[in-house]
Amino acid sequence: MKPIWYFVGLLLLFIGSVVTISGLYSLISPPAQQKIFTNLHPDIWWGLFMVVAGLIFLLVNRKKTVQ
Amino acid sequence: MFQKGTLMATIGLSFFDWLIIIIYFAFILGLGYYLKRFTKSQEDFFIAGRKNSAWVAGIAFLSANLGALELLGMTGNTFKYGMYVAHFYWIGAIPAMLFLGIYMMPFYYSSRIHSVPGYLKLRFDERTRVLNAIAFAIMTLLVSGINLYAMALVLHTFLGWNWDVSMWISAATVAVYVTMSGLLSAIFTEIIQFFLIWFGLFLVSFLGIVEIGGIKEVFARIPHSFSTLWSTSADPTQNGMVITWAGIVFGLGFVLSFGYWTTDFLVVQRAFSAKDLRSARMTPIIASFFKMAVPFLVIMSGLVALALANDPKSGFVLLQDGGQVNYDSTLPLLIQRYYPSGLIGLGITALLAGFMAGQAGNVSAFNTVWTYDIYRSLINKNASDEHLLWMGRVATVVGIILSVGTAYWAKTFPSIMDYMQAIFSWVNAPLFATMLLGMFVVWITPAGAFWGLICGMGSSFLLFLAVKFQWFDPVALTLSSTASDMAANFWRAWWAWLICFVVTIVISLFTNKRPKEELVGLVKGLTEENITDHVPFIKSPGFYAIISIIILIILNIYYW
């Protein structure tokens, strides 16, 4: 079977992408209620960080199988 | 915890937040379905085929304990008690985890048992095994139900979700994926939960530190009694937890910690799933490094909340329960404060994952103990492999249904939440005395173990009632002029352990001992000790345990 790290990568990639897109969307259409640090856009850079982490897990484990 | 009458602080979810939650649910159901094809025997279902690496078992070992109830509760406790809560993660966990890996795991793993009660059967007798199995099964179902109740209440309070719908959907999801692939799917979801919790909650502490202006500034803004670890422990009136160093060391650091980390089958089961003895020994040692890091998530966010609450201009105020401060609202309110749309979905998913993985952990431990230590031991001694696998799946569904029943009971009796810590000290604290004596003293007898356990569990329960109904002053327990509920918990566990320890020894002096040849592999001194002969020292569990203990010492000195 695929190792668990492969699935961890897949989930981080999916969720990180959604968080990033959500952050980009809020740039285009800013929400009515602003949070502290909205100007720092933590959703964009944290989402991107998750995408990168997810890709690393996926690439490292893409060909591995475990018993 | 959140009770009837709690003010609601509904966090609005956007399309993106919902999408993240739906992705998570679809993902873990899909994972359960994928793993089903690899779950063919009862060995696969109950102990994941004993094929996991030390890293997989180690992270699962930690995650089984890192539920959402723990995250919410400990962040709230930090707001209430201050830095002393870090003791739960450092002295209250690391020595016990290392002791399990270095000294106890060889006896557990080498005996090829499926459960902790299974060891009691081999070392002592059937009645001790059944006594512990029944106590553990009841405790697990209670904790599982309380966990479910807490989850539904959090979702209702902060998201405005329907209480029944959120509970039933989560319970059904856990039932489906654990029924399909047993411990394997529980371990996989625990590892996913581990990453979701770190990615989902790291920013809470981080943004809190940024808002306040650095870690030093956070400590500067909270009272001195809340910001130290040991320097105020000589006098209980000088620290937030109202406890002395002796209560921390003996009650938490020794009895509660060792009782939980070395005997609670929920966590120890993860080590049993390791592929070999070295991996099993490394399991709690790897987990110890991550355990020491968890305070960044829970303690730091609790301290940030405390610093914010001390500043009226911040506008940060905890929710109230009928005039009482609701400490468990700390983490959700910080998420609400810092997280924009998208990140809120991630934070909520991290908490959901914590709740559901906790649920899966409880159910997978329950189905194993029920099937091996109660059903096969008492009801059907000659059950086939296929029948045990079927029984494990039935026990999963029944366990979930009973948990839901417990959750409804908890709903009508909310103060049951307060008994969580007490439940652990009824079962685990005395069991640690039995295990310690059983593994390290050859002449301890089955009768001594059985009656010691009965007296230990009974005395812990009686002491709980005595404090609850004020039969006597709790300061008689804590040996100091003043004490918090937490201090009383620590000391009650200590007395229960001591009573079990003494009774077991005394009865063993006067009852029949088992022949030494029957105890080979189960007791130190009768077991061959060549377990790491073929491994260089820098790759041995002992080497990593030394590094772990050095880090622990440095942390304690730094935050002294």
Side-chain angles (χ1 to χ4, degrees), chain B residues 45-60:
Chain B
F45 188 84
F46 293 111
I47 44 177
R50 290 195 207 269
K51 288 170 188 163
N52 285 321
S53 68
W55 279 94
V56 170
I59 293 179

Side-chain angles (χ1 to χ4, degrees), chain A residues 1-2 4-5 7-8 11-12 15 18-19 21-22 25 35-37 43 45-46 49-50 53 57 67, chain B residues 16 20 27 31 34-35 38 59 188 192 195 199 202-203 207 210-211 336-337 339-342 344 346:
Chain A
M1 75 173 87
K2 284 282 182 195
I4 175 63
W5 316 116
F7 298 103
V8 168
L11 190 64
L12 291 180
I15 294 182
V18 176
V19 172
I21 292 167
S22 167
Y25 178 76
K35 298 283 174 77
I36 297 171
F37 301 127
D43 38 11
W45 54 263
W46 194 248
F49 177 59
M50 288 180 74
F57 272 106
Q67 273 196 320
Chain B
F16 294 107
I20 290 170
F27 196 87
L31 199 54
Y34 170 77
L35 294 174
F38 304 105
I59 293 179
F188 268 49
I192 282 171
F195 283 93
F199 278 98
F202 183 89
L203 278 187
L207 294 176
V210 172
E211 183 185 2
Q336 188 183 32
R337 181 180 183 87
Y339 280 13
S341 163
I344 282 194
L346 176 60

Side-chain angles (χ1 to χ4, degrees), chain B residues 28-29 53 81 87 119-120 130 151 181 190 211 218 238 254 276 298 305 359 393 395 404 414 422 466 494 510:
Chain B
I28 57 167
L29 282 174
S53 68
Y81 298 117
H87 287 305
Y119 176 84
L120 294 173
V130 172
M151 181 195 66
S181 37
E190 280 162 3
E211 183 185 2
V218 173
Q238 297 301 307
F254 182 56
D276 53 33
V298 290
Q359 190 72 10
R393 291 193 158 124
V404 173
W494 162 256
F510 302 103

Side-chain angles (χ1 to χ4, degrees), chain A residues 8-52:
Chain A
V8 168
L10 214 53
L11 190 64
L12 291 180
L13 179 64
F14 284 155
I15 294 182
S17 303
V18 176
V19 172
T20 310
I21 292 167
S22 167
L24 293 172
Y25 178 76
S26 68
L27 278 182
I28 303 163
S29 172
Q33 196 187 354
Q34 298 282 309
K35 298 283 174 77
I36 297 171
F37 301 127
T38 298
N39 57 327
L40 294 179
H41 305 295
D43 38 11
I44 297 178
W45 54 263
W46 194 248
L48 285 173
F49 177 59
M50 288 180 74
V51 168
V52 171

Side-chain angles (χ1 to χ4, degrees), chain B residues 33 112 132 175 334 360 379 408 424 449 453 461 513 520 549:
Chain B
Y33 182 74
R112 307 296 288 176
N132 176 244
L334 287 173
I379 301 167
Y408 276 105
F424 285 120
L453 208 48
F461 188 64
K513 295 160 184 60
V520 172
I549 210 85

